[in-house]
């Protein structure tokens, strides 16, 4: 099945669509596709708005544009889905982790994670390619000052990306 076909199926069935950014040195699309069940925890979210998306809005079956960030060639590199409910990010309780949060407790966790299942790797759709498309001018990742690692994507934006780039 082609990436374009997968994207169109996701557009029909996914309750919501997200762009999720990950540094490839921490978790790449290849890492995800090679993980058991092609599923990884989206750990390390330490922004309240992104945490709130995980807690309040994301659900099993949501579509994901997998985006590599903080690398020489940032951009969309794969398609994925959400395949778990939100749950506490265990790294917040580990004092040796860079994601440790001394104010968080198992009884009142501040940070959540969710599992992402990789579906397919695609050729890089770079940031400049996205910026050059007027139809994507509203895409949150393209907005000045946007640094969120999780942002919503409209079905129209998702289908445009699928039809233009896949």
């Amino acid at each position: 099945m082609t990436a374009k076909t997968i994207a169109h199926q996701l557009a029909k069935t996914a309750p919501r669509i997200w762009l999720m950014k990950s540094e490839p040195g921490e978790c790449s699309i290849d890492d995800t596709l090679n993980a058991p069940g092609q599923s990884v925890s989206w750990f390390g979210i330490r922004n309240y708005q992104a945490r709130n998306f995980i807690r309040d809005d994301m659900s099993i079956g949501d579509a994901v544009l997998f985006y590599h960030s903080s690398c020489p060639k940032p951009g969309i590199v794969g398609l994925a889905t959400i395949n778990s409910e939100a749950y506490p990010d265990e790294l917040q309780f580990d004092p040796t982790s860079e994601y440790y949060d001394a104010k968080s407790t198992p009884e009142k966790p501040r940070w959540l994670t969710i599992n992402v299942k990789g579906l397919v790797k695609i050729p890089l759709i770079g940031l400049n390619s996205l910026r050059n498309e007027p139809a994507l001018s509203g895409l949150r990742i393209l907005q000045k000052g946007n640094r969120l690692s999780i942002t919503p994507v409209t079905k129209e934006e998702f289908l445009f990306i699928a039809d233009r780039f896949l």
Side-chain angles (χ1 to χ4, degrees):
M1 193 177 314
T2 68
K4 184 183 243 180
T5 301
I6 292 169
H8 276 270
Q9 285 182 343
L10 288 171
K12 288 179 189 171
T13 61
R16 291 188 176 97
I17 303 165
W18 305 94
L19 185 141
M20 297 177 74
K21 295 181 351 186
S22 178
E23 295 178 16
E26 191 151 301
C27 182
S28 70
I29 186 67
D30 291 324
D31 295 334
T32 304
L33 292 170
N34 291 318
Q38 296 181 294
S39 182
V40 296
S41 170
W42 208 263
F43 63 89
I45 299 298
R46 296 298 181 267
N47 172 285
Y48 285 105
Q49 188 173 3
R51 188 268 328 257
N52 293 348
F53 284 145
I54 290 172
R55 183 189 67 201
D56 302 332
D57 299 318
M58 297 177 103
S59 60
I60 294 172
D62 285 358
V64 174
L65 291 168
F66 199 115
Y67 185 99
H68 282 173
S69 66
S70 300
C71 60
K73 294 182 180 180
I76 300 168
V77 295
L79 300 176
T81 58
I82 301 300
N83 71 331
S84 79
E85 298 295 333
Y87 60 94
D89 182 344
E90 292 298 318
L91 296 176
Q92 68 192 307
F93 311 124
D94 180 357
T96 65
S97 171
E98 67 180 293
Y99 299 109
Y100 176 64
D101 184 341
K103 294 180 181 178
S104 190
T105 66
E107 298 76 33
K108 289 190 107 182
R110 291 168 59 162
W111 305 110
L112 302 172
T113 187
I114 201 158
N115 290 353
V116 173
K117 179 179 182 164
L119 298 176
V120 64
K121 182 177 180 175
I122 61 173
L124 174 75
I125 305 169
L127 198 51
N128 286 337
S129 296
L130 297 171
R131 282 194 176 116
N132 288 333
E133 298 294 341
L136 297 177
S137 64
L139 197 63
R140 295 269 298 265
I141 194 167
L142 302 178
Q143 305 308 305
K144 209 170 194 79
N146 180 65
R147 306 256 319 135
L148 281 177
S149 59
I150 298 172
T151 55
V153 175
T154 67
K155 185 180 283 193
E156 293 76 23
E157 292 164 338
F158 184 74
L159 285 170
F160 182 87
I161 289 168
D163 291 337
R164 171 70 176 87
F165 297 106
L166 301 181

